[in-house]
Amino acid sequence: MEGEPTRIMLAVNESTIKGYPHASISSRKAFEWTLQKIVRSNTSGFKLLFLHVQVPDEDGFDDMDSVYASPEDFKNLRNRDRARGLHLLEFFVERCHAIEVGCEAWIKKGDPKEVICHEVKRVRPDFLVVGCRGLGPFQRVFVGTVSEFCVKHAECPVITIKRSAEETPQDPVDD
Amino acid sequence: MEGEPTRIMLAVNESTIKGYPHASISSRKAFEWTLQKIVRSNTSGFKLLFLHVQVPDEDGFDDMDSVYASPEDFKNLRNRDRARGLHLLEFFVERCHAIEVGCEAWIKKGDPKEVICHEVKRVRPDFLVVGCRGLGPFQRVFVGTVSEFCVKHAECPVITIKRSAEETPQDPVDD
């Protein structure tokens, strides 16, 4: 017997091109990598903890065509966001269920890098896996990346999985 | 059947206080973490690749009391260094052998961070595990760390294992 499973937290997000409910290329890559290289056949030895952080839509750009006439409309909007996030997580949870790997999944709102580090502190996973779009040096200076922040600040070991060259769209921001 | 094992490279070094053949606290910590959290009971699913990088002794400070009278003396010195490195690796290889985890171990000379990244390129492990002394922010600025360099430059995923607080000696440089 092996004792408690190793608890791996995975931060997952939606595709920047396709939007919800599609998972980003880098999230799927990080997930598949974890299954292939770490979990392997030892499905009972690991538990995957999926965290999806939704960024509050401050400028409302996506909702330019919507009309808000009542408080109810805003509530519906929030429910719709929540449903989209759940749909994203469903992809990962279903894969785990199919191969019999234990998992949990949840949604938080906020700045992804801050929320991920906060959740690491709260949930105490054995380590954190984050995907990474592999931005060029120029973009990295201005954008920073969630993965770099987590490597520095998360209170657990962090492994960053970069997309391979053939998985990278021509515009590296696409995901 | 699982196919090829996951190949994990571990960079290991000697203790800065106790010297050879003692492995550093951070190397041992990274090794034990890898066994407990990744390999677990799936001993046939993983292969550990131990790399020890010896830093060439440029100032010869350690050899102040030695007298070199012939080319032979220098050859003996080099052999002694090599023997010390092998003795360090023996610790890790013996542990692996005892628990039946496949492994390989080898020594290279040079600047550890450069050599580790070069060996990653050559050997192509699935990921790299490096221990880290957890230097304070002040020391980090001047010293940089091998682990930070590898996270940025190694051509494979890298996971950095910090020592826990109770394993850290009072002077954080000690290891």
Side-chain angles (χ1 to χ4, degrees):
Chain A
M1 291 306 289
E2 277 216 300
E4 289 298 301
T6 297
R7 297 162 72 242
I8 309 176
M9 186 184 280
L10 283 113
V12 296
N13 61 357
E14 76 280 18
S15 164
T16 49
I17 344 173
K18 296 197 218 158
Y20 284 119
H22 300 281
S24 65
I25 299 173
S26 47
S27 295
R28 276 182 285 131
K29 168 82 182 176
F31 174 54
E32 294 300 335
W33 185 91
T34 304
L35 293 179
Q36 277 173 37
K37 300 299 186 184
I38 306 278
V39 175
R40 301 183 58 101
S41 64
N42 187 9
T43 50
S44 64
F46 297 88
K47 182 169 189 179
L48 303 188
L49 312 173
F50 298 100
L51 168 63
H52 172 49
V53 184
Q54 289 188 322
V55 183
D57 185 16
E58 278 178 73
D59 59 354
F61 185 83
D62 288 343
D63 297 305
M64 287 289 268
D65 297 329
S66 307
V67 176
Y68 305 101
S70 72
E72 201 65 16
D73 289 341
F74 288 95
K75 199 178 149 200
N76 291 340
L77 180 69
R78 280 196 296 273
N79 287 341
R80 192 201 58 188
D81 275 358
R82 200 176 152 67
R84 287 172 164 183
L86 289 174
H87 210 48
L88 171 73
L89 289 174
E90 200 176 6
F91 166 80
F92 295 101
V93 172
E94 286 197 342
R95 270 291 324 258
C96 284
H97 193 76
I99 59 175
E100 299 187 324
V101 171
C103 71
E104 284 176 20
W106 69 104
I107 299 173
K108 290 277 170 182
K109 292 237 181 211
D111 178 3
K113 61 185 188 304
E114 303 279 356
V115 173
I116 293 167
C117 291
H118 185 268
E119 290 297 283
V120 162
K121 202 177 272 194
R122 188 177 69 83
V123 171
R124 305 224 144 274
D126 290 304
F127 62 102
L128 170 69
V129 178
V130 278
C132 163
R133 290 195 295 222
L135 301 179
F138 183 74
Q139 285 173 304
R140 197 182 297 131
V141 172
F142 294 101
V143 180
T145 66
V146 171
S147 60
E148 284 173 11
F149 186 91
C150 292
V151 165
K152 276 206 184 115
H153 299 286
E155 289 181 7
C156 74
V158 180
I159 190 157
T160 300
I161 308 301
K162 288 183 191 133
R163 293 188 304 209
S164 55
E166 67 265 28
E167 288 163 318
T168 304
Q170 281 201 312
D171 179 348
V173 167
D174 288 347
D175 194 17
Chain B
M1 290 306 290
E2 277 216 300
E4 289 299 301
T6 296
R7 296 161 73 242
I8 310 175
M9 187 184 281
L10 284 114
V12 296
N13 61 358
E14 76 278 21
S15 164
T16 48
I17 344 173
K18 295 198 221 158
Y20 284 117
H22 301 280
S24 65
I25 298 173
S26 47
S27 297
R28 275 181 286 132
K29 167 84 182 176
F31 173 54
E32 294 300 334
W33 185 92
T34 304
L35 294 179
Q36 278 174 36
K37 300 299 184 184
I38 307 278
V39 175
R40 300 183 57 101
S41 64
N42 188 8
T43 49
S44 64
F46 296 88
K47 183 168 187 178
L48 302 188
L49 312 172
F50 298 100
L51 167 63
H52 172 49
V53 184
Q54 289 189 320
V55 183
D57 185 17
E58 278 178 73
D59 59 354
F61 186 83
D62 288 342
D63 297 305
M64 287 290 268
D65 296 329
S66 306
V67 175
Y68 305 102
S70 72
E72 200 65 15
D73 290 341
F74 288 95
K75 198 177 149 203
N76 290 340
L77 180 68
R78 281 196 295 273
N79 288 342
R80 192 201 58 188
D81 275 357
R82 199 173 154 70
R84 286 172 165 181
L86 289 174
H87 209 48
L88 171 73
L89 290 173
E90 199 176 8
F91 167 79
F92 295 101
V93 173
E94 285 197 343
R95 270 290 325 259
C96 285
H97 192 77
I99 58 176
E100 298 185 328
V101 171
C103 71
E104 284 175 19
W106 68 103
I107 299 173
K108 291 275 170 183
K109 291 239 181 209
D111 179 4
K113 60 184 189 306
E114 303 279 357
V115 173
I116 292 167
C117 291
H118 185 269
E119 290 297 283
V120 162
K121 201 176 273 194
R122 188 178 69 83
V123 170
R124 304 225 147 273
D126 290 302
F127 62 103
L128 169 69
V129 178
V130 276
C132 162
R133 289 192 293 217
L135 300 180
F138 183 76
Q139 285 175 304
R140 198 182 295 131
V141 171
F142 294 99
V143 180
T145 66
V146 171
S147 59
E148 284 173 10
F149 186 92
C150 292
V151 165
K152 278 209 182 112
H153 299 286
E155 290 181 5
C156 74
V158 179
I159 191 159
T160 300
I161 308 302
K162 288 183 192 133
R163 292 187 304 207
S164 54
E166 67 266 28
E167 289 164 317
T168 303
Q170 282 200 310
D171 179 349
V173 167
D174 287 348
D175 194 15

